[in-house]
Amino acid sequence: MQNKLALPILLMILISLPLGYGVFGFIWGMIGQGIEWPIRDFIAKSFSNLNKSALVDSSIFSIKVAVLSTLIALILCYIFIVYAFLKNQFKLISILMGAIFIIPHPTFAILLELTFSNASMLERWLTWFIVSERPILPNTTSLIHSPSGGFYILAMAIKEAPFIWFILLGVTLTHDFKNQIKVAQSLGYEEAFAIIRCILPQIYQHLKFPLYTIIIFVIGHVEMAVILAPFEPQTLGVMILTLFNETNEFSRHQAFLLGGWLIILGLFALLLFHLIIKICSDLFHFIMTHHSAIKKSYSVRYLMNGVPILNFFIGFTLVLGIIGLFILSVATYWPYPMLWPESLTLVHWKEVAILSLPLLFNTLLIAFISVLFSLIIVMFLIEITKGTKVRHYASMLLFLPLLMPMIGFLLGILILLNQLNIPPFFAVVIGHMIYMMPYFYFMLQKPLAAFDKRWLYASLSLGKTPAYSYFFVKIRLLIHPIIFTVLLGFIISFNQYLPTFLLSGGEIETLNSQALIFAQGGSKRLLAAFAIMQIALSLLILLMGGLLWKCTRKSELYSESAIG
């Protein structure tokens, strides 16, 4: 037994070293990194030089964004799942959610900014077809950077909704909910309320941890905040990144301190979210218990009639945004309120093609190496911890980075990598792997655990070697979840801006990081071209994965027919 546990424990120790040092390095950065004067005085001085009013406003705004965007995303997915059950529209909603999911966060923010900003294509269309007297200048008020932050909160909710939706979909496919709905209907519940009363509470039990990770992710998010969030108050993540980019060590120490404060705010946001869910649950239970007339009400079914309008609005925004990006990328002079530019040119695409070749190479190479090593480590970890007591500890260890705000945890990892003198490229790969392996473990644990070992025994009994049996039998039978996991890994890697920027010190540039630079100030034509290139890259990876999936499926059918 001890020999069986030795290898899993050794691997967990190797994985825990960078994670533990990331936490230790972050704490070490908070207490001054060897500052000569007393640490307590140094911390007090650091906090005293911060703008207290701005810090309070940023803290409140960050909590508001994290909690509200997660709640809205959850409600949106609940509405979609009820509608999917009633109308059998799982495929249509999954296509819409998948389209949002594959777009990187900065690209999604850029798409929304160029669609809803002043002098955008949407405003030009509204001006031409609705307003009788066309204005000379665009509207001065804009949804983007609104002081309330409402547009940013809604954008974050829509961007995180696909993550919740696909977990909902997975739970739905692995549980027999239809029979439960029939039983509830036989007790007098209308179908929609049967779904809400019986199915949604069961689904929520599988969503707790994903919702908590979304809250922690959003509260320290930077990429979309830089593009869509209000200038005042800033999100705390943007404030930390701004301080860290300062050249003096004092500002960087302030960034570490605010990172610690961000962790405290994350815990408070989790408690607040849990409290809101508890209150809503108790309120809903009271209404359903004391108002029997609601059981036969068709109000929810009527409410579901608005879901197609919501789907159309989201889909229309995506299509209009992509069309607007493409036109803007080839436009020359395009004064407001003209619907079409005076002429078209490919000069911006030529410039982007020259700039993007090394960026595209870095993006794909980092993604490929990160996916490959994450897949090997996670599959090996699952195999050697199967049936042991350390399996739960291994999952807790891998999910640790998701329970800390990204910008704070990465600052600690940065100290470790700097002390070890790891080259920037490999530092970025490690950063991507840290945030990739938890999802790989989540995706592959159940398929690997459910694998029937008799396939291996049959292969070995035919004289095949253990290596052949593993790679050509077990991996072959598990190819579909592996393909899906690899696709997810590429999408995750394309989204990683902070690990790329912080861990490389800005030396390694990818399409994602370059697009964000243009979004903060630069040519909108080049920005549109970069955004289209990122969307096309994600679609290309998805298409290649789909073709590989189809080819392996055909191979399986051919093998089955040959055996039959």
Side-chain angles (χ1 to χ4, degrees), residues 176-369:
D176 187 13
F177 289 138
K178 291 186 178 180
N179 286 333
Q180 297 183 34
I181 295 172
K182 290 179 181 178
V183 173
Q185 285 181 289
S186 67
L187 297 176
Y189 286 93
E190 198 269 337
E191 184 181 6
F193 272 97
I195 298 170
I196 295 173
R197 183 71 184 271
C198 302
I199 306 305
L200 296 189
Q202 297 180 59
I203 292 177
Y204 182 75
Q205 300 304 317
H206 299 270
L207 291 179
K208 286 184 178 180
F209 185 77
L211 290 173
Y212 293 161
T213 60
I214 290 175
I215 291 174
I216 296 299
F217 172 77
V218 173
I219 201 169
H221 188 67
V222 171
E223 297 96 303
M224 289 182 64
V226 170
I227 301 172
L228 299 178
F231 299 113
E232 292 293 338
Q234 290 180 319
T235 63
L236 206 57
V238 174
M239 182 181 290
I240 293 171
L241 186 62
T242 303
L243 287 171
F244 187 78
N245 286 333
E246 298 290 337
T247 56
N248 61 85
E249 188 176 359
F250 188 77
S251 296
R252 293 200 169 192
H253 180 253
Q254 288 180 323
F256 277 97
L257 288 177
L258 290 184
W261 175 241
L262 187 62
I263 293 175
I264 298 174
L265 291 183
L267 295 175
F268 179 78
L270 291 178
L271 293 175
L272 180 60
F273 179 82
H274 181 74
L275 179 63
I276 293 174
I277 292 294
K278 179 64 176 175
I279 293 174
C280 293
S281 176
D282 292 342
L283 181 62
F284 180 76
H285 179 74
F286 176 81
I287 293 174
M288 292 296 296
T289 304
H290 293 80
H291 296 271
S292 58
I294 295 181
K295 297 178 182 179
K296 298 180 180 180
S297 173
Y298 290 89
S299 58
V300 174
R301 185 178 290 275
Y302 292 149
L303 181 64
M304 291 297 105
N305 293 331
V307 175
I309 300 175
L310 179 61
N311 289 338
F312 174 79
F313 174 76
I314 296 176
F316 176 77
T317 301
L318 289 176
V319 173
L320 180 64
I322 293 174
I323 294 174
L325 288 175
F326 182 76
I327 295 176
L328 186 61
S329 67
V330 294
T332 53
Y333 183 61
W334 196 4
Y336 182 85
M338 290 178 59
L339 282 179
W340 194 259
E342 289 188 352
S343 60
L344 304 178
T345 180
L346 294 177
V347 64
H348 307 113
W349 277 101
K350 292 178 181 178
E351 186 174 350
V352 166
I354 297 173
L355 291 173
S356 63
L357 284 179
L359 304 179
L360 182 62
F361 177 78
N362 288 340
T363 301
L364 292 176
L365 185 60
I366 291 171
F368 176 78
I369 297 176

